[in-house]
Amino acid sequence: MSKGIKKKKSKTSFKVALGFDKFTGEKTNFTVGITLFFLSVVMIICFISYFTTAASDQSLLEHPMPGDFFNKDRAFQNICGSWGAYTSYFLIACCFGYSAILIPVFMMLISFKMIGVYKLNLLKWFFCMMLVMIWSSIFLAEYINPLMLDKVFNAGGNHGAYIASMTENIIGTPGLTAILILTAILFLVYLTSETIYFIRKIFNPLKLVTDKVSFTITNLGKDGDKTDAPASEDANNDVYDDPSSQIVNFNLKTDQAEVVDNGYMDENEDVTEEQPLQDDYKSVTPMEPVADSSDVGFEVESGTTEDVSTNSGITTSVADLSPYDPKAELSRYKYPTLDLLKKYEDDGKSFIDMDEQRKNKDRIVQVLGNFGVKVESIKATVGPTITLYEITLAPGIKISKVRSLEDDIALSLAALGIRIIAPIPGRGTIGIEVPNANPRVVSMESILSSKKFQETTMALPLALGKTISNDIYMVDLAKIPHLLVAGATGQGKSVGLNAIITSLLYKKHPAELKFVLVDPKMVEFSIYKPLQNHFLAQIPPESDADEPIITDVKKVVKTLNSVCQEMDDRYNLLKLANVRKLEEYNEKFTKRQLNPENGHRFLPYIVVIIDEYGDLIMTAGKEIELPIARIAQKARAVGIHMIIATQRPTVNIITGTIKANFPGRMAFKVMSSVDSKTILDGTGANQLIGRGDMLILDKGTPVRVQCAFVDTPEVIAINKFIADQPGYNGPLELPEPINTEEGSGGGTEDIGNLDPLFSEAAHVIINTQQGSTSLIQRKFSIGYNRAGRLMDQLEKAGVVGAAHGSKPRDVLIQDEETLQSLLNTLGAN
């Protein structure tokens, strides 16, 4: 045993003496790679020279004499001498002809991979280039060689000439031509599915025009990932996937580093999705007014239908009617395009600074070793701004010992924002998060153009940014269902809110989503004012000066109470429809199983976003907290969701009631561990590096995410794009909140402050003898909430009776004379 040990030591000493111990791993790859690079360059030069000197060297090459290889008399005319002439003669003349030039090109690609310049799938490149070389050799020998005059060698080489001749002897020239065309088509289909549409156009160009709505384009993404984008007229509206995460495996024994993929799809794996084209709304004529939902048939009971007379006098059955489309009124609405967002040069690139990774690895291992913590293996996952070093400890090492070294590791790496995850859940390893020396920008464009966002089926997708492993991080607000955002000033909180709103604007139609924006600072959400006719909701304005963005504290309280009233109204509708949640209700309504005459309507999602919640609490206190708590506790099922943000996550602002009802937490950098515990129930947010670096509490586990950056000019461009399109007559009107001080009798509407349409509505009710809210809504083209207030005023004036659930109200006045007398008394003429 001792002899064996001595022998091993002598071998090691021998390697050290010769310097071989330093010639391993990365150095070996670089040396071989750079050698291959120069060899491929020389081969390309000798090939090019052979094209012009082949005739001069032909006799020497075909009838070599002893000593010719040394070219003593410089008889060879090739610029690379006898070696270049013999190499070119063998590969070009004897083998593949002109297509042999691909051999040194492939050698150059190998050199790039070994040097570490590019990350390439060499097996795929080899297969493709070999196929192209063989195909080109046969093609050149069969079709190009006969056209060449004074030829010294066959254009396709002896290989191409032999294969072409043998194939022609078996199936003739037409058969060879068919095989060449077929293989070329199959190869192009393998590269891009656009070939399929090109072939279809050749065989049937008219069919391609009729099927244009389902036409797709397959593009090669940033890292070679093949994805599909709609074939729109927008030149920059390409859809490409985000780069797969990059992992660096360190071998602590050999000091080698290897960059590997994280198990994602291959770079040319094809995933297609057909998406309809969207015509430019500016190029079409305005739509005719769409009939109200109450003008069409509805299903009364399961299995039975009711005939409804339309305005034209024609009786129509529900079975003959198409499902109700809430988007019909704005059917020409066009979703924002990706070219409105800014692209960044370094965005999405997966470049890894191996020198930085190696230095950080060495420092981490050294610091842990100095304190007696032995590391078995270490792996680095490189993200846009943070690198996660995943460490496997030797047996017997306590995790608490590593936790206590957090400050020592930060001192060694000279970096802020060091965070230790001990252990990483589900992996049995310890994670050390270290900021990158050169962080990359995560643009909103790269997030929204990703395949994950384009193909999502989430009800309210929030595309927030990228994780450490470069994955697109998305959550469904409908499942969270409320989100609490906190962070110190200037750490990215406002950008995060803009990213949330932007991702929803890119995915939802104005008929499906409404925002209630509360902005005590008066400047954060003011840029969204152009969306008032498309995406905003507000309480009925008291004057023309009232804006849809709520900034006054008194109006904030009234608005939140109004949202509570809307929540209660929606629950009543769900109760009448015998369903438990918004999705089921809207599905019934679109299938015309709910009667609009009974007050039923399509219910869009409502997202309430409150900025500077701490300022509101300081000025209004419980008046603000109580309606927020009510909404957070009950509103999920009826499609109302809340996002509140504050820069002071203290316990007197984020109380236990708020925390209990806001399971979703998004924390940017805060100033102290106490603030971090308030927002996340644990430390971590105080160790972030700022500038969009955040922790998201997902199912109890904080996930570190780099927030997507969307700048103010981008938001303005998106809002202008939407505002320039036809919209509704105004913001969605929320119901008036119930004033409990007026008591419970006789309704809540002020009979002394009648609606301007009161008189006309009363005449319609008397003439039709139908006490229906939807009738008023349809006749005067007003919102449901205003029509409901009119009906309450009519009830208080004695024109109609009290509501009877889903049944129409009783009409108490039967003739025009009695009505006119009542109107004269009320002064409503």
Side-chain angles (χ1 to χ4, degrees):
M1 181 67 70
S2 60
K3 290 182 180 180
I5 295 175
K6 289 181 180 179
K7 189 174 182 181
K8 182 177 282 189
K9 288 183 178 179
S10 63
K11 284 184 178 181
T12 304
S13 301
F14 180 72
K15 289 182 179 181
V16 172
L18 295 179
F20 289 165
D21 63 318
K22 299 183 181 297
F23 201 71
T24 57
E26 188 175 7
K27 294 181 180 179
T28 302
N29 290 337
F30 182 82
T31 303
V32 176
I34 201 70
T35 303
L36 273 177
F37 174 78
F38 282 104
L39 178 60
S40 60
V41 171
V42 173
M43 286 183 65
I44 292 175
I45 294 173
C46 75
F47 279 16
I48 296 174
S49 177
Y50 180 75
F51 296 151
T52 59
T53 62
S56 303
D57 297 338
Q58 191 68 14
S59 59
L60 296 174
L61 295 170
E62 292 182 348
H63 307 288
M65 298 295 292
D68 284 353
F69 181 78
F70 297 100
N71 196 21
K72 293 181 180 180
D73 300 329
R74 296 188 177 275
F76 288 96
Q77 300 300 310
N78 193 294
I79 194 172
C80 293
S82 59
W83 177 86
Y86 279 113
T87 302
S88 303
Y89 172 72
F90 175 74
L91 293 177
I92 296 177
C94 299
C95 293
F96 303 106
Y98 286 105
S99 61
I101 194 75
L102 293 177
I103 295 175
V105 171
F106 181 70
M107 291 173 58
M108 189 173 292
L109 294 178
I110 297 176
S111 71
F112 289 155
K113 169 98 174 185
M114 299 189 72
I115 293 172
V117 178
Y118 298 106
K119 179 190 170 192
L120 302 169
N121 188 333
L122 291 179
L123 183 62
K124 186 164 293 184
W125 276 100
F126 172 77
F127 170 76
C128 294
M129 296 185 76
M130 179 189 68
L131 188 63
V132 171
M133 184 174 66
I134 295 174
W135 187 92
S136 301
S137 174
I138 300 172
F139 177 83
L140 291 171
E142 178 66 18
Y143 300 103
I144 303 301
N145 191 67
L147 304 178
M148 296 178 60
L149 302 176
D150 300 330
K151 55 191 175 185
V152 177
F153 59 90
N154 193 294
N158 293 345
H159 164 270
Y162 174 77
I163 298 297
S165 175
M166 183 181 66
T167 308
E168 279 189 325
N169 292 338
I170 299 174
I171 58 177
T173 302
L176 174 62
T177 304
I179 291 177
L180 289 175
I181 295 175
L182 177 61
T183 53
I185 292 175
L186 294 179
F187 180 71
L188 292 175
V189 169
Y190 170 75
L191 291 182
T192 170
S193 60
E194 195 172 351
T195 308
I196 298 174
Y197 305 112
F198 180 76
I199 299 299
R200 288 176 180 171
K201 184 177 181 180
I202 293 176
F203 285 111
N204 190 355
L206 295 179
K207 187 176 187 304
L208 186 66
V209 173
T210 58
D211 289 344
K212 190 176 181 182
V213 293
S214 61
F215 183 73
T216 60
I217 298 176
T218 302
N219 295 292
L220 214 58
K222 289 186 176 181
D223 278 341
D225 292 332
K226 188 176 289 185
T227 57
D228 291 321
S232 66
E233 297 176 359
D234 301 313
N236 296 324
N237 196 15
D238 295 335
V239 179
Y240 45 83
D241 200 6
D242 56 298
S244 61
S245 61
Q246 303 296 306
I247 296 179
V248 183
N249 283 324
F250 292 105
N251 190 322
L252 299 181
K253 295 182 179 180
T254 62
D255 196 31
Q256 297 182 16
E258 179 187 6
V259 181
V260 297
D261 287 334
N262 195 18
Y264 289 87
M265 70 172 66
D266 195 15
E267 56 185 349
N268 281 332
E269 184 175 345
D270 193 7
V271 180
T272 61
E273 178 190 12
E274 291 189 343
Q275 300 183 12
L277 282 172
Q278 294 178 337
D279 295 330
D280 191 346
Y281 69 92
K282 295 181 180 178
S283 63
V284 298
T285 56
M287 287 187 59
E288 294 295 328
V290 179
D292 187 85
S293 59
S294 57
D295 286 334
V296 294
F298 57 89
E299 190 170 333
V300 180
E301 295 179 359
S302 178
T304 63
T305 60
E306 178 174 325
D307 292 335
V308 179
S309 297
T310 62
N311 293 334
S312 59
I314 302 175
T315 302
T316 306
S317 174
V318 175
D320 300 329
L321 295 170
S322 60
Y324 171 73
D325 182 11
K327 303 178 184 179
E329 188 173 351
L330 297 184
S331 61
R332 302 293 184 180
Y333 176 78
K334 187 176 181 182
Y335 291 84
T337 56
L338 293 174
D339 57 354
L340 299 172
L341 299 171
K342 183 179 179 181
K343 292 183 180 181
Y344 293 85
E345 293 182 0
D346 62 342
D347 182 33
K349 294 183 180 178
S350 56
F351 174 75
I352 297 177
D353 188 343
M354 291 302 300
D355 185 55
E356 177 190 353
Q357 302 305 323
R358 191 179 300 280
K359 288 180 179 178
N360 287 344
K361 181 265 300 183
D362 291 340
R363 289 169 182 168
I364 291 173
V365 173
Q366 181 181 359
V367 171
L368 294 177
N370 291 340
F371 290 91
V373 179
K374 187 178 179 182
V375 177
E376 282 196 342
S377 66
I378 182 169
K379 180 174 69 175
T381 303
V382 184
T385 58
I386 300 294
T387 297
L388 171 65
Y389 294 92
E390 193 171 336
I391 298 172
T392 303
L393 300 177
I397 303 297
K398 293 184 177 180
I399 292 177
S400 58
K401 194 171 184 179
V402 179
R403 285 199 190 102
S404 64
L405 299 177
E406 184 173 325
D407 294 337
D408 298 284
I409 296 174
L411 178 63
S412 174
L413 296 176
L416 298 175
I418 300 292
R419 195 170 75 101
I420 293 180
I421 310 172
I424 298 178
R427 297 193 187 180
T429 56
I430 289 177
I432 300 178
E433 295 176 346
V434 181
N436 296 337
N438 298 306
R440 302 194 307 270
V441 175
V442 177
S443 70
M444 199 69 200
E445 190 269 345
S446 67
I447 303 297
L448 299 187
S449 63
S450 66
K451 191 164 17 181
K452 185 173 183 179
F453 181 80
Q454 295 288 329
E455 297 177 358
T456 184
T457 57
M458 294 180 180
L460 294 173
L462 305 184
L464 300 177
K466 289 186 179 181
T467 64
I468 292 177
S469 58
N470 277 311
D471 297 330
I472 305 296
Y473 188 86
M474 291 175 54
V475 294
D476 190 354
L477 183 60
K479 293 182 178 179
I480 293 181
H482 309 292
L483 183 62
L484 181 60
V485 183
T489 303
Q491 303 303 321
K493 186 170 75 296
S494 296
V495 174
L497 294 177
N498 287 335
I500 289 172
I501 297 174
T502 300
S503 59
L504 291 174
L505 291 178
Y506 267 81
K507 208 64 179 176
K508 306 304 290 185
H509 189 275
E512 301 173 311
L513 173 67
K514 300 297 177 183
F515 291 104
V516 176
L517 301 180
V518 178
D519 181 18
K521 289 198 298 188
M522 305 183 186
V523 293
E524 292 295 339
F525 292 151
S526 59
I527 55 177
Y528 294 105
K529 183 181 176 182
L531 301 181
Q532 58 182 339
N533 293 341
H534 294 83
F535 283 101
L536 298 188
Q538 67 174 138
I539 58 176
E542 298 176 358
S543 65
D544 295 338
D546 287 351
E547 296 187 356
I549 310 297
I550 299 98
T551 57
D552 185 16
V553 176
K554 294 181 180 179
K555 290 184 179 178
V556 172
V557 176
K558 188 176 181 181
T559 299
L560 292 176
N561 288 328
S562 178
V563 174
C564 290
Q565 182 62 41
E566 173 70 13
M567 176 184 70
D568 294 336
D569 292 346
R570 290 187 173 202
Y571 268 113
N572 289 331
L573 293 176
L574 264 62
K575 179 182 176 182
L576 294 175
N578 293 320
V579 295
R580 300 181 61 182
K581 57 183 180 178
L582 179 85
E583 293 78 12
E584 296 173 358
Y585 177 87
N586 283 338
E587 182 180 3
K588 266 193 169 185
F589 187 83
T590 54
K591 290 181 179 179
R592 304 187 186 277
Q593 296 175 358
L594 301 174
N595 188 352
E597 294 286 344
N598 296 332
H600 291 292
R601 54 197 166 96
F602 184 84
L603 302 178
Y605 287 100
I606 296 178
V607 178
V608 183
I609 304 180
I610 302 176
D611 192 21
E612 293 303 333
Y613 170 72
D615 183 68
L616 293 177
I617 288 294
M618 292 179 65
T619 54
K622 292 293 182 182
E623 287 186 89
I624 293 289
E625 185 177 353
L626 290 178
I628 288 179
R630 278 204 68 210
I631 295 170
Q633 288 171 350
K634 293 181 57 180
R636 172 181 184 174
V638 292
I640 300 176
H641 305 277
M642 292 201 72
I643 300 172
I644 62 176
T646 180
Q647 63 180 352
R648 296 191 300 273
T650 55
V651 291
N652 60 328
I653 293 176
I654 302 178
T655 61
T657 304
I658 295 298
K659 288 181 64 175
N661 293 289
F662 281 78
R665 317 277 178 80
M666 193 164 78
F668 293 89
K669 181 176 176 60
V670 295
M671 294 298 104
S672 67
S673 59
V674 175
D675 291 344
S676 178
K677 291 177 181 178
T678 303
I679 181 72
L680 294 176
D681 297 324
T683 59
N686 56 308
Q687 298 166 316
L688 300 176
I689 61 174
R691 298 180 63 84
D693 188 20
M694 62 181 176
L695 286 172
I696 299 177
L697 201 61
D698 183 20
K699 299 177 182 178
T701 303
V703 179
R704 196 163 186 174
V705 176
Q706 177 62 37
C707 183
F709 180 69
V710 53
D711 206 358
T712 302
E714 298 174 72
V715 177
I716 293 175
I718 295 170
N719 295 340
K720 185 178 184 303
F721 180 88
I722 296 174
D724 287 344
Q725 303 183 53
Y728 300 107
N729 294 329
L732 174 70
E733 286 191 1
L734 298 172
E736 287 281 356
I738 295 178
N739 189 353
T740 57
E741 295 179 359
E742 293 187 13
S744 58
T748 62
E749 293 297 327
D750 183 8
I751 199 66
N753 186 21
L754 297 176
D755 191 284
L757 295 176
F758 179 86
S759 176
E760 297 178 52
H763 284 290
V764 170
I765 295 295
I766 297 305
N767 292 334
T768 61
Q769 289 296 303
Q770 294 182 16
S772 170
T773 303
S774 60
L775 174 65
I776 297 176
Q777 180 185 4
R778 184 171 66 255
K779 290 295 184 183
F780 298 105
S781 299
I782 59 177
Y784 180 82
N785 296 322
R786 186 179 179 185
R789 291 196 304 274
L790 269 169
M791 188 59 68
D792 290 339
Q793 291 179 354
L794 290 170
E795 178 189 352
K796 196 164 187 178
V799 179
V800 296
H804 302 292
S806 61
K807 297 179 180 180
R809 297 171 184 251
D810 295 329
V811 181
L812 305 180
I813 297 179
Q814 305 298 323
D815 56 85
E816 286 283 348
E817 293 181 1
T818 306
L819 173 62
Q820 192 60 44
S821 175
L822 175 64
L823 294 177
N824 292 335
T825 304
L826 296 174
N829 289 326

